[in-house]
């Protein structure tokens, strides 16, 4: 009971929060502070800390005298500029900070001589920035436009605040205006509170700016401003509209853990340094239209509760979206990504049933980057479903291709990586661990197997450096038996072939190029074994015209097929190597054996290939086999190819097309009498490959045609 009564009693003085005691500012006190400025960090400063400054209209005489006296001292010529410190003060009424500076033209020949060479150089720097921005149509401020002479009636003057401005924990009850002001020294508004709207329109900051933990209760306007040095808005609270349109950040801009409760406008902003928005909460729409990010944009663990717009935005460096939450819509339409730019999205929180990501069809899907499949399968699934719902099949397929590449990488690591749950101490040492570290790992896994590689850091002898160095070569899994290893190896091989030959069913033109190479190659082989049989005793060889025709057509078909492969394959040389491994070794070995043993059989002068003489039309030959049956009726229907026709070489391509794609202009098959087994084996080998190829074609078509794609994936 006593404890409860003590809890209800008022807090003692020592336990109450400390509030600064403010002194009402009078003209006499102001005059005294102006006469005796303080020296802080090597700069003279007018000390108006912990004051109550009443600038309300009820006391016009004090307000006018305040500005007049302060302006006179701040604009006074001298070697060292005079700063102003309003920390912990309460400003009642509107504060017009732009009236305290010195107005000067931006023209180099008209800059006031009271400025030091350093200050004149800063003004010239502003002038150059204006000219560069105007040259590309980015800056629209009055003083900048006047430099081009396009609007002679517009004043080119800018208000220059020469000294440092300190507003740490200052409270502004009225509006605060610093429009069209050039701060030559730093501005520190840490923990400042602005209860009414603030106007920083067309303001220039030559030195670092600090708005850390500041609170803007009403609209804040920084439009068309320039930050030459670091801009710090860490943990800043924007309760109403925040207008940063047309700004140029020449250095790093830090909005880490800021909070935007209303509309945030960053349209047309130039980010020449890194832009840090990590941990920011956008409760309303965020606009970055036509912005230019020259360096890294960090959106790590940023929350977008409403739409975020990056239309026509230029990204020169990666965009870090790790752990970002997109709850409504992210629009990257017409955004431009340089070769070094991409969207880093591991851990992205995104539900495709409630939100969506927009982008140019066929382009946006290539911009997503995920380093590992583990922990990101849901991200890839949601992104893929997002683009399928928008019928952007190419982008959805690109994400599926990325997913399977990561899966292949995991399989490769499991097959050849060092499993820390089963590797011997010697293998761990050979990998790069010290003997002490290897023994510690062996003892730890005897007690409890490792579940993931990061558990190595829990061991005292394993440091971050060695872990980072070896993490890519480590595998944490159950030890594989020989049978399991062979199954994993078969899965790795099949997945590798699908990725190389079809982009895992996502690239029809790549499949088309692969088929073109095979059709032309086997067509040439069949022509060779049929038309070039022997040189003696009686030569059976093709004519000069036919040889030139077949070689020319083969070169053309291979050229266009290889062109399709090199334009569509991510690794064209590996794709070409995979094709050669399939179509080259066995057929060439059969061909060499055929010419080694020679051909001595009946019907040597008649073609091995026969055609159906009853029809000549384009046919879909699904059930066709490469050799005609042993039946007299079929022998009467199928007649040998005529070797004395100039167009005869086309029949061999037709036969190759029939074998591989089950499609041809005529039904051409091998005869059943006096046929060398090697030639039959060659035809059956291509026919078997055709079963696999036509399956690959149909699978790829089902994934690349929008209607079939939606039928399969959204059923």
């Amino acid at each position: 009971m006593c404890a409860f009564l003590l809890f209800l009693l008022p807090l003692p003085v020592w336990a109450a929060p400390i509030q600064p005691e403010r002194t009402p500012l009078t003209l006499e006190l102001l005059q005294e502070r102006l006469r005796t400025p303080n020296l802080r960090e090597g700069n003279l400063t007018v000390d108006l800390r912990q004051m109550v400054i009443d600038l309300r209209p009820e006391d016009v005489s004090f307000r006018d005298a305040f500005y007049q006296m302060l302006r006179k001292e701040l604009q006074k010529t001298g070697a060292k500029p005079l700063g102003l410190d309003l920390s912990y003060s309460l400003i009642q009424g509107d504060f017009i900070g732009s009236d305290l500076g010195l107005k000067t033209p931006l023209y180099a020949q008209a800059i006031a001589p009271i400025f030091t060479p350093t200050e004149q150089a800063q003004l010239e720097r502003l002038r150059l920035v204006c000219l560069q921005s105007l040259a590309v149509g980015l800056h629209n401020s009055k003083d900048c436009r006047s430099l081009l002479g396009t609007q002679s009636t517009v004043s080119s003057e800018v208000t220059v605040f020469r000294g440092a401005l300190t507003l740490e924990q200052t409270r502004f009850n009225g509006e605060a205006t610093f429009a069209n002001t050039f701060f030559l020294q730093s501005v520190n508004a840490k923990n400042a509170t602005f209860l009414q709207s603030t106007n920083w329109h067309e303001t220039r900051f030559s030195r670092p700016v600090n708005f850390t933990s500041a609170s803007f209760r009403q609209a804040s306007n920084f439009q068309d401003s320039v930050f030459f040095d670091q801009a710090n808005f860490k943990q800043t609270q924007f309760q109403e509209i925040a207008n940063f349109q047309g700004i140029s950040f020449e250095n790093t801009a830090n909005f880490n853990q800021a909070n935007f409760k209303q509309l945030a406008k960053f349209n047309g902003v130039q980010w020449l340094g890194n832009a840090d928005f990590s941990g920011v909460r956008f409760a309303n729409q965020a606009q970055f239209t036509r912005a230019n990010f020259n360096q890294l944009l960090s959106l790590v663990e940023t929350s977008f509760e409403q739409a975020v717009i990056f239309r026509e935005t230029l990204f020169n460096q990666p965009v870090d979206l790790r752990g970002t939450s997109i709850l409504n819509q992210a629009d990257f339409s017409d955004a431009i990504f340089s070769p070094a730019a991409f969207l880093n999205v591991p851990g992205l929180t995104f539900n495709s049933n409630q939100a969506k990501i927009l982008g140019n069809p066929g382009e946006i899907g290539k911009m997503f980057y995920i380093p590992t499949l583990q922990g990101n399968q849901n991200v890839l699934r949601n992104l893929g479903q997002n683009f399928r719902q928008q019928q952007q099949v190419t982008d959805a397929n690109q994400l599926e291709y990325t997913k399977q590449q990561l899966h292949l990488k995991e399989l490769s690591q499991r097959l050849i990586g060092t499993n820390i749950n089963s590797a011997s101490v010697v293998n761990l040492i050979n990998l790069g661990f010290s003997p002490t570290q290897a023994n510690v790992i062996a003892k730890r896994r005897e007690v409890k197997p490792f579940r993931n590689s990061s558990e190595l850091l829990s061991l005292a002898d394993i440091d971050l450096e060695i872990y980072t160095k070896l993490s890519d070569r480590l595998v944490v899994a159950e030890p594989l038996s020989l049978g399991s290893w062979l199954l994993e190896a078969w899965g790795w091989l099949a997945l590798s072939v699908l990725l190389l030959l079809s982009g895992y069913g996502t690239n029809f033109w790549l499949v088309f190029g692969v088929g073109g190479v095979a059709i032309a190659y086997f067509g040439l082989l069949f022509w060779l074994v049929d038309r070039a049989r022997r040189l003696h005793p009686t030569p059976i060889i093709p004519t000069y015209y036919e040889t030139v025709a077949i070689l020319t057509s083969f070169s053309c078909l291979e050229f266009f097929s290889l062109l399709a492969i090199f334009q569509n394959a991510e690794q064209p040389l590996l794709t070409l190597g995979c094709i050669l491994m399939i179509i080259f070794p066995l057929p060439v070995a059969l061909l060499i054996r055929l010419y080694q043993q020679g051909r001595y059989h009946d019907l040597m002068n008649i073609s091995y290939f026969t055609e159906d003489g009853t029809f000549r039309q384009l046919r879909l030959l699904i059930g066709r086999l490469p050799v005609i049956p042993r039946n007299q009726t079929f022998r009467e229907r199928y007649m040998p190819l005529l070797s004395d026709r100039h167009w005869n070489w086309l029949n061999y391509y037709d036969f190759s097309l029939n074998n591989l794609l089950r499609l041809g202009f005529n039904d051409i098959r091998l005869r059943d009498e006096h046929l060398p087994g090697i030639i039959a084996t060659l035809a059956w080998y291509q026919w078997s490959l055709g079963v696999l190829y036509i399956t690959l074609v149909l699978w790829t078509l089902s994934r690349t045609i929008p209607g079939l794609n939606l039928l399969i994936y959204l059923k």
Side-chain angles (χ1 to χ4, degrees):
M1 185 64 181
C2 293
F4 179 74
L5 292 175
L6 289 173
F7 178 76
L8 295 177
L9 291 176
L11 291 173
V13 175
W14 55 267
I18 301 176
Q19 296 291 341
E21 294 184 3
R22 297 187 177 99
T23 303
L25 180 65
T26 62
L27 294 179
E28 292 76 12
L29 183 56
L30 174 60
Q31 192 171 16
E32 178 186 347
R33 295 296 175 92
L34 292 173
R35 285 197 304 265
T36 58
N38 291 339
L39 186 63
R40 291 182 182 169
E41 300 180 357
N43 297 316
L44 290 174
T45 303
V46 178
D47 186 2
L48 297 181
R49 297 161 58 91
Q50 297 182 219
M51 297 286 182
V52 177
I53 305 175
D54 191 350
L55 302 178
R56 290 177 291 185
E58 289 78 2
D59 195 351
V60 177
S61 59
F62 174 81
R63 183 184 63 184
D64 293 344
F66 170 81
Y67 285 114
Q68 182 179 1
M69 294 170 63
L70 199 55
R71 185 189 306 117
K72 179 181 178 181
E73 293 299 323
L74 294 178
Q75 295 180 1
K76 187 178 294 184
T77 60
K80 286 193 176 289
L82 193 62
L84 177 62
D85 189 352
L86 297 171
S87 299
Y88 304 98
S89 292
L90 173 63
I91 313 297
Q92 296 179 336
D94 297 340
F95 184 81
I96 307 176
S98 54
D99 281 353
L100 301 177
L102 176 65
K103 294 186 180 297
T104 182
L106 269 183
Y107 294 102
Q109 64 273 18
I111 295 177
I114 67 169
F115 295 112
T116 65
T118 302
E119 293 172 338
Q120 292 184 18
Q122 289 175 294
L123 288 168
E124 178 63 19
R125 183 184 179 191
L126 171 60
R127 180 174 176 272
L128 292 176
V129 169
C130 283
L131 290 174
Q132 292 172 0
S133 300
L134 286 167
V136 294
L138 295 175
H139 223 286
N140 199 33
S141 62
K142 296 178 181 178
D143 51 351
C144 286
R145 290 199 309 269
S146 66
L147 292 175
L148 295 180
T150 56
Q151 297 187 12
S152 57
T153 59
V154 178
S155 172
S156 63
E157 288 186 337
V158 61
T159 301
V160 178
F161 198 98
R162 301 179 64 198
L165 177 62
T166 306
L167 305 174
E168 189 170 350
Q169 294 197 29
T170 305
R171 183 182 181 89
F172 293 86
N173 285 351
E175 295 183 1
T177 302
F178 297 91
N180 198 28
T181 302
F182 189 8
F183 291 96
L184 299 182
Q185 301 298 324
S186 62
V187 175
N188 181 8
K190 183 178 180 181
N191 292 308
T193 302
F194 301 90
L195 297 181
Q196 299 299 322
S197 60
T198 58
N199 186 1
W200 305 81
H201 182 238
E202 298 182 8
T203 302
R204 281 79 174 169
F205 303 91
S206 183
R207 299 297 185 212
V209 179
N210 188 2
F211 284 93
T212 300
S213 299
S215 178
F216 294 89
R217 305 290 178 84
Q218 296 297 325
S220 53
N221 183 11
F222 287 86
Q223 186 173 355
D224 294 329
S225 296
V226 180
F227 293 82
F228 289 98
D229 213 314
Q230 295 181 358
N232 193 347
F233 289 87
K234 184 178 180 180
Q235 298 179 346
T236 304
Q237 302 290 318
F238 295 93
Q239 305 288 342
E240 293 294 333
I241 295 177
N243 187 356
F244 287 85
Q245 295 187 107
I247 284 181
S248 178
F249 289 100
E250 305 286 313
N251 207 310
T252 302
N254 184 3
F255 287 84
N256 180 266
Q257 297 182 1
N259 190 350
F260 294 86
K261 291 191 175 182
Q262 296 298 327
L263 176 64
K265 297 182 179 181
F266 290 91
N267 299 323
V269 176
Q270 302 299 302
W271 310 82
L272 301 183
N274 292 335
D276 186 1
F277 283 87
S278 57
V280 175
R281 175 176 176 262
F282 290 94
N284 209 299
Q285 190 178 96
Q287 300 176 354
F288 293 88
T289 304
R290 295 186 301 278
N292 187 344
F293 293 94
N294 284 279
Q295 299 298 326
L296 175 69
L297 169 60
S298 177
L299 297 171
V300 177
E301 297 185 358
T302 301
S303 176
F304 295 101
E305 298 180 11
Q306 298 297 324
V308 53
I309 302 172
F310 289 99
R311 293 194 196 110
E312 302 179 51
T313 298
L314 173 62
F315 299 101
N316 286 318
Q317 294 295 326
V319 181
D320 198 345
L321 291 162
R322 288 176 299 162
T324 302
S325 298
I326 298 176
L327 306 180
N328 188 277
Q329 174 178 295
D331 189 353
F332 290 90
S333 301
D334 298 317
I336 301 174
F337 293 86
S338 72
F342 54 84
L343 301 175
N344 188 33
V345 294
L348 176 70
T349 301
F350 170 71
N351 189 332
S352 58
N353 295 324
Q354 302 171 358
K356 58 183 177 180
I357 295 178
L358 307 179
N360 291 358
E363 298 177 8
I364 187 64
K366 300 176 182 179
M367 296 297 109
F368 294 99
Y369 171 76
I370 293 179
T372 60
L373 185 60
Q374 184 177 4
N376 291 301
Q377 294 193 21
N378 191 51
V379 175
L380 288 167
R381 180 167 54 252
N382 283 331
L383 288 174
Q385 186 177 3
N386 167 77
F387 291 117
R388 289 191 184 102
Q389 288 174 345
Q390 300 176 51
Q391 297 191 21
Q392 293 182 217
V393 178
T394 303
D395 298 307
N397 285 340
Q398 179 63 41
L399 290 164
E400 181 65 23
Y401 177 71
T402 301
K403 178 181 178 180
Q404 297 305 324
Q405 277 189 315
L406 295 174
H407 186 204
L408 181 66
K409 182 179 177 181
E410 281 191 350
L411 286 176
S412 302
Q413 288 180 337
R414 292 182 63 181
L415 290 172
I416 63 175
T418 301
N419 191 340
I420 59 177
N421 281 328
S422 59
S424 65
V425 173
V426 175
N427 288 339
L428 291 174
I429 294 174
N430 293 335
L431 183 65
F433 290 106
S434 67
T436 302
Q437 292 171 336
N439 288 320
V440 169
I441 293 174
K443 291 179 181 179
R444 163 63 169 77
R445 70 192 184 195
E446 289 177 0
V447 178
K448 182 181 179 182
F450 291 96
R451 292 177 299 176
N452 53 68
S453 59
S454 60
E455 290 185 358
L456 287 172
L457 294 174
S458 63
L459 303 179
D461 295 291
I462 307 296
D463 55 21
L464 181 60
E465 181 180 356
I466 191 67
Y467 172 77
T468 304
K469 180 181 177 181
L470 302 178
S471 59
D472 291 340
R473 290 181 284 170
L474 296 176
V475 178
V476 182
E478 293 293 330
L480 293 176
S481 63
L482 178 60
S484 299
W485 190 92
L486 291 175
L487 288 176
E488 292 277 357
W490 172 253
W492 176 88
L493 180 61
L495 183 56
S496 299
V497 171
L498 288 176
L499 287 171
L500 289 174
L501 300 187
S502 68
Y504 199 76
T506 63
N507 195 325
F508 173 76
W509 288 109
L510 176 58
V511 177
F512 175 82
V514 170
V517 169
I519 290 170
Y521 171 75
F522 279 100
L524 179 65
L525 288 186
F526 291 133
W527 171 82
L528 186 64
V529 299
D530 191 42
R531 302 290 291 125
R533 303 191 184 187
R534 68 186 184 192
L535 296 176
H536 57 80
T538 303
I540 302 177
I541 56 176
T543 63
Y544 174 78
Y545 168 81
E546 190 174 359
T547 302
V548 172
I550 194 74
L551 292 179
T552 302
S553 60
F554 171 79
S555 300
C556 292
L557 286 174
E558 290 291 349
F559 172 77
F560 287 110
S561 300
L562 291 175
L563 183 64
I565 290 174
F566 276 85
Q567 284 187 340
N568 293 278
E570 186 169 324
Q571 298 174 305
L573 293 179
L574 286 179
T575 298
L576 188 58
C578 181
I579 298 172
L580 293 178
M581 288 297 294
I582 295 173
I583 68 174
F584 191 78
L586 180 60
V588 170
L590 292 173
L591 199 65
I592 292 173
R593 179 58 183 162
L594 178 67
Y595 283 101
Q596 280 180 343
Q597 69 182 20
R599 278 174 275 185
Y600 307 95
H601 54 74
D602 295 337
L603 302 178
M604 276 293 293
N605 294 325
I606 299 176
S607 174
Y608 296 124
F609 296 89
T610 61
E611 62 177 344
D612 186 355
T614 59
F615 293 101
R616 188 178 295 277
Q617 63 189 18
L618 182 65
R619 301 182 182 184
L620 185 61
L621 305 167
I622 298 297
R624 167 196 171 278
L625 297 177
V627 182
I628 65 173
R630 293 180 57 194
N631 185 284
Q632 188 61 35
T633 305
F634 276 88
R635 291 174 183 171
E636 294 175 358
R637 287 176 51 193
Y638 286 86
M639 297 179 291
L641 297 181
L642 300 176
S643 59
D644 59 346
R645 300 294 190 269
H646 281 179
W647 42 261
N648 180 55
W649 53 274
L650 288 171
N651 288 314
Y652 301 102
Y653 289 128
D654 198 7
F655 178 74
S656 180
L657 183 65
N658 283 340
N659 270 354
L660 200 68
L661 205 58
R662 309 297 188 266
L663 182 69
F665 294 95
N666 202 357
D667 185 5
I668 299 177
R669 308 191 192 190
L670 291 173
R671 70 191 190 194
D672 66 312
E673 295 179 300
H674 305 292
L675 177 68
I678 290 178
I679 298 177
T681 302
L682 188 64
W684 279 104
Y685 180 68
Q686 191 201 14
W687 186 89
S688 302
L689 293 180
V691 174
L692 301 176
Y693 180 73
I694 200 170
T695 303
L696 183 65
V697 169
L698 294 176
W699 180 54
T700 303
L701 287 175
S702 73
R703 295 172 63 86
T704 53
I705 297 177
L708 291 176
N709 185 280
L710 291 174
L711 181 63
I712 292 174
Y713 292 102
L714 299 181
K715 58 185 178 179

